[in-house]
Amino acid sequence: AELGFVFDVVDYRFEVIMAALAVFKQLNGHADVRQSFIVPDEPPWPRECVGLPLGRRLTQIRTRGDMVKASSERRGRLSAIGFSWTPKRGRRAVPKRRG
């Protein structure tokens, strides 16, 4: 993207997510981002990541295949950083018992 223009919005959004996930892993030692996590406005987070609902975006990638359905390269990059493709136990909604 020369002159600061973004030609592929999905590629750009994916790169922002990857940048945020890399910082999260550096700070926390893992890539298991809780769904409610939003990137804060403080160092060392990149400016373009501030305010990103990272947990929600990663949940969408995991459950709906957002940004990765047609890209084995993106899937591979997420796997390489330690992204879990299955939800962690205890994080799923538990159905209410009837009776």
Side-chain angles (χ1 to χ4, degrees), residues 11-60:
D11 279 347
Y12 175 76
R13 287 180 182 160
F14 184 77
E15 293 306 323
V16 170
I17 289 168
M18 287 301 297
L21 187 56
V23 172
F24 184 92
K25 184 173 182 179
Q26 176 187 359
L27 295 175
N28 297 283
H30 61 80
D32 181 24
V33 182
R34 71 184 182 282
Q35 188 170 357
S36 62
F37 182 78
I38 297 173
V39 175
D41 186 2
E42 60 189 43
W45 299 96
R47 297 287 321 147
E48 66 270 14
C49 299
V50 170
L52 174 71
L54 182 61
R56 192 170 72 219
R57 293 287 184 267
L58 293 173
T59 297
Q60 291 167 342

Side-chain angles (χ1 to χ4, degrees), residues 1-7 12:
E2 305 240 351
L3 302 174
F5 292 105
V6 175
F7 293 100
Y12 175 76

Side-chain angles (χ1 to χ4, degrees), residues 6 8-9 22-23 42 54 56 72-73 76 78 81 91 93-95 99:
V6 175
D8 188 325
V9 174
V23 172
E42 60 189 43
L54 182 61
R56 192 170 72 219
S72 60
E73 185 264 340
L78 282 165
I81 202 169
R91 293 222 172 160
V94 178

Side-chain angles (χ1 to χ4, degrees), residues 10-11 14 17-18 57-79 83 85:
V10 175
D11 279 347
F14 184 77
I17 289 168
M18 287 301 297
R57 293 287 184 267
L58 293 173
T59 297
Q60 291 167 342
I61 289 170
R62 180 182 296 114
T63 60
R64 299 191 321 211
D66 288 9
M67 295 187 235
V68 298
K69 280 182 187 170
S71 178
S72 60
E73 185 264 340
R74 288 183 189 152
R75 287 184 70 86
R77 288 178 61 197
L78 282 165
S79 294
F83 178 71
W85 292 98

